[in-house]
Amino acid sequence: MSAPLGNLSVEQFLNRCWQKEPCLIRRAFDDFEPLLDGNDLAGLACEEMVESRLVRGSMEKSDWTVGYGPFDDSVFSSLGEENWTLLVQDVEKHYAPLQALMAEFSFIPNWRLDDLMISFAATGGSVGPHTDQYDVFLLQAEGRRRWQIASSFEPELLRDCPLNVLQRFTPEQEWVLEPGDMLYLPPNVAHHGIALEPGMTWSIGSRAPSGADLLQGLGEWLSFSADEGGRYSDPDLRPAKRAGEMDAEALRKLRQLMLARIDESDNVDSFLAAFMSRFRLAHEPAPPPKPIRSKDLHAAIQNGAQLLCNPWTRLTWINTPQGARLFAAGQAFDCSTSLAEILCQRDQPAIEVAMLDKPTLDTLTKLINKGHMLLTSDA
Ligand code: SIN
Ligand code: CO
């Protein structure tokens, strides 16, 4: 498998660096030509559907401010020449040709990748020294940026600051990245990028749900089910010893009841895959889907069904005794593992479900806006 890892093979990178230590890859992309520029990014940041931030300030003055998009384009003419950075999330979803860049990182399982965030910084532009909870590949796309990093640092953040900026930061290593160079950082390595001239850094970021995210999602998922998972029972109850106390045995049994509900059946695997197949900002609780059956999926595909693309949809699948259960934006399809694999290999995530005979444009638009992948026979 070829990957933009310089002299490192994928195995060497994963064994030595991934989640372990920073890694600088000079000329990861030879003659890198960015498919969009600062003006394109500013245009995106003016759009309603786009998540963007404008950070101003410098480390010397600790005068950080942050504004959130959508912006009026007049903002950009008032920014001046120095000390600002415009950051836009999910750019590959807004501009489909960038999916090809994401495909370069397919040595990481697709459900572990999140988005392409692009920052355009004026000279001196920076978001301050900070840490992230995610692995990130920082690809220098235009201009030069100095990156300083430290694996040991004091975690205190600046007070009364709208950004998470470390109070103190002593770099252990630093490099100037030129276009095509890439710096990989595992989570929790402090880093500070400062633009030496106007330019862009493209961050290919990973997705790592927290236990709390998963539990919240699982609770919502289970709440749609009629199966309560049994009730607490205590046929061996003894007289209460101390008023109000929940004793150790009661706590053990309650915990057991809860864990058994989580553990039972294959439901949890389906929950996990459905959860990861949704866009990270899809916060609406989603009920467990009714999987579309393998034979219906095959029949639809044989009848010329098309997969329409909605880049917010993420495709992922799990192995089941019958084959694969494929998830797309929280919807489920049963199919063969080979079909699941083929569908997931597409450059652009294909979209969802709903086998509609004669979908109207209105129905399609509504489904797509909901982040669904659309499998139709005549779209
Ligand atoms: C930036 O592009 O300036 C910030 C990216 C990061 O630090 O994660
Ligand atoms: Co960062």
Side-chain angles (χ1 to χ4, degrees), residues 23-52:
C23 171
L24 174 69
I25 302 152
R26 292 278 181 206
R27 298 172 65 101
F29 290 86
D30 263 334
D31 305 320
F32 186 75
E33 288 288 340
L35 289 182
L36 44 74
D37 62 17
N39 286 327
D40 299 322
L41 204 64
L44 273 177
C46 295
E47 286 183 23
E48 193 71 42
M49 290 280 288
V50 177
E51 191 188 341
S52 61

Side-chain angles (χ1 to χ4, degrees), residues 222-284:
L222 293 178
S223 71
F224 287 101
S225 162
D227 174 7
E228 290 186 319
R231 284 267 159 185
Y232 182 78
S233 68
D234 46 7
D236 47 0
L237 186 66
R238 295 279 166 269
K241 288 191 196 126
R242 296 189 281 201
E245 183 185 23
M246 290 177 74
D247 64 26
E249 179 58 6
L251 292 172
R252 189 191 63 75
K253 284 168 64 172
L254 283 165
R255 166 191 277 259
Q256 194 47 44
L257 183 67
M258 184 174 66
L259 295 180
R261 181 70 186 94
I262 292 177
D263 253 349
E264 74 196 15
S265 76
D266 63 346
N267 228 345
V268 172
D269 291 346
S270 287
F271 158 72
L272 293 169
F275 183 91
M276 295 310 297
S277 75
R278 300 183 76 203
F279 179 47
R280 69 170 184 288
L281 299 179
H283 290 315
E284 290 268 297

Side-chain angles (χ1 to χ4, degrees), residues 277 279 310-315 327-329 349-352 371-373:
S277 75
F279 179 47
N310 174 344
W312 274 265
T313 299
R314 302 156 59 86
L315 286 186
F327 292 87
I351 311 212
E352 104 153 82
H372 286 195
M373 161 177 135

